[in-house]
Amino acid sequence: MVKAQLSDTYCPQMDLCSEDSRQCHGNGFFPSLISWGNRHGDGKRKALSLNVLLLGERQSGRSSVGNALIGGQEFQTGVCYSEVSMTTDYRSLTRTFLRYFRRQGTESDLTLTVTDTPPLMPRPQSMCELCPEGVHVLVVVVRVDLPYDNPHLEQSAQGLFGPEWHHHAILVLTHTDHLEEAGLQPSVYLTQATESLRVLSRRVGGGVFFMDNTCDWPAIRGRPLRDKLLRLSAANHHSALRVRTEA
């Protein structure tokens, strides 16, 4: 597994959910904590840490979604070779967005640990080592230009996290530039999608996010996605899904 780190950068503050950033590079498993605490011990700023897990088939756009969330180009994207996804191992990136939002009148940082997985679902024990504090948001990634009928993905998520997994999930539909080319509005697309995708879109607690993969700079498409992710986590009181270990 690979984990990574970048330098701090500053983004303009929002009223409720605002942003800023940092990230990390290195190898091995590492803990992802959810915590409210003073960043500098001066009582002026707090920090919230959330773990995000990307799930999806090969070439679904998981790496692009990961790049959007961290506001960088660290997750490797591109075509697969010999029909094998370019993601063959876990890859986790952590980035801190300074002064991201205000809570009870106090500025708070948001630290996201985003983990990309191989197309095959990870083993429970591996996920326990990777995210010992659990996962706060599951991001299910699906391409709009390919038919979706993958109950195995949802069954695997339930096997890892139990029947409550969908309360912590967001559905991200990628390559939505194809919808514009076809003259379809997102709402119309969902009415014409497969029954499996329509059911999934209704089940996930975080709703649906449409992402245009032609956007050159991930921060542009990442900002609204991060805000949506934060709102979902807040609705779940920032609780984490615990991985069910093998018997």
Side-chain angles (χ1 to χ4, degrees), residues 25-225:
H25 260 291
N27 290 321
F29 291 123
F30 65 106
S32 303
L33 304 178
I34 175 168
S35 59
W36 282 100
N38 294 328
R39 181 179 174 83
H40 302 297
D42 56 9
K44 293 183 179 179
R45 198 161 81 238
K46 296 183 178 182
L48 173 67
S49 298
L50 299 177
N51 300 334
V52 181
L53 182 65
L54 306 176
L55 301 176
E57 297 180 323
R58 59 168 54 99
Q59 292 189 285
S60 60
R62 297 186 321 277
S63 296
S64 294
V65 173
N67 284 333
L69 284 170
I70 64 170
Q73 297 283 3
E74 298 301 305
F75 286 104
Q76 187 176 15
T77 61
V79 297
C80 65
Y81 297 95
S82 300
E83 298 184 353
V84 176
S85 170
M86 296 185 72
T87 302
T88 58
D89 201 355
Y90 306 117
R91 180 167 175 78
S92 291
L93 299 172
T94 298
R95 190 159 196 167
T96 298
F97 297 85
L98 305 178
R99 301 179 179 89
Y100 192 88
F101 62 106
R102 299 182 66 86
R103 185 173 186 263
Q104 298 178 346
T106 303
E107 291 182 335
S108 297
D109 299 344
L110 174 65
T111 298
L112 290 183
T113 295
V114 181
T115 300
D116 190 15
T117 59
L120 295 178
M121 204 64 181
R123 293 181 298 107
Q125 190 57 44
S126 296
M127 286 303 307
C128 281
E129 295 172 350
L130 182 65
C131 298
E133 299 298 324
V135 173
H136 304 98
V137 179
L138 297 173
V139 179
V140 181
V141 184
V142 176
R143 293 180 63 133
V144 300
D145 57 334
L146 297 176
Y148 174 82
D149 188 10
N150 187 11
H152 174 71
L153 180 64
E154 298 166 54
Q155 292 166 3
S156 297
Q158 180 157 324
L160 276 176
F161 300 107
E164 300 301 311
W165 71 270
H166 60 277
H167 294 308
H168 295 253
I170 290 175
L171 174 61
V172 176
L173 298 176
T174 60
H175 298 273
T176 57
D177 47 292
H178 291 284
L179 299 184
E180 184 177 352
E181 293 173 2
L184 281 176
Q185 294 294 323
S187 58
V188 175
Y189 164 77
L190 282 176
T191 65
Q192 299 178 1
T194 63
E195 176 65 18
S196 297
L197 187 59
R198 293 200 302 272
V199 171
L200 178 60
S201 69
R202 293 192 295 265
R203 290 193 69 199
V204 293
V208 182
F209 184 87
F210 289 82
M211 194 174 84
D212 183 348
N213 288 63
T214 61
C215 176
D216 292 330
W217 179 234
I220 297 175
R221 54 195 176 183
R223 185 177 187 117
L225 179 55

